Amino acid sequence: MAGIELIWLLPVIVYDFYQRRVPNWLVLAGAVLALTTLSLGQHPLGVVWSDALVGAALGFGFLLLFYAVGLMGAGDVKFAGALGLWVGWQGLLPIWMAASLLAAMHSLLWLALQRWPWFPRLAVALSGRNKASGTETSRKRVIPYAAYLAIAAAIWIIWGQQS
């Protein structure tokens, strides 16, 4: 029964959408929970140690390349590593594909609203800026990629439980 990992994904989604960051304590909590379930032999998704560790390494390592060239925040990278502990290496590709599709739609909508400002509040929300206070989130990140990874992971987890 999947549940604890879904509960962990919810604050990741909220933090990343509203603050464009994922706090270290939240990433660490998810990693510790995953490692605990693995060590107790009670991993809710049936992932084994080797798959989880490879998933963590792949999740972290692959997104580290995007961070190195300035396309992604460090929180996204750390979250992907912790997520790999939950879903194993097998779950990463479909989750990355779905998250990237969601991020692309976010980006295209944001770009369209920059060109044709029909919905200025939506454009501000998509950009991560708080128009009322005039403040912007750190490093002007527009795409909350960790949130989209978490949404895609939740869908993958729930869909996997149905079959």
Side-chain angles (χ1 to χ4, degrees), residues 106 108-129 131:
H106 178 121
L108 291 173
L109 180 58
W110 180 74
L111 288 171
L113 290 172
Q114 295 294 19
R115 185 164 173 89
W116 302 289
W118 294 324
F119 302 101
R121 287 187 179 171
L122 180 57
V124 169
L126 289 172
S127 71
R129 290 180 295 161
K131 191 172 185 175

Side-chain angles (χ1 to χ4, degrees), residues 5 8 27-39 43-60 77-92 95 156-157:
E5 67 278 12
W8 170 63
V27 173
L28 186 59
V32 167
L33 283 170
L35 292 171
T36 301
T37 62
L38 282 164
S39 66
H43 196 285
L45 301 175
V47 175
V48 297
W49 275 102
S50 58
D51 293 344
L53 294 177
V54 170
L58 283 174
F60 185 85
V77 176
K78 293 179 277 188
F79 172 70
L83 182 62
L85 290 172
W86 282 109
V87 301
W89 65 269
Q90 302 91 334
L92 286 179
I95 290 169
W156 183 84
I157 291 166

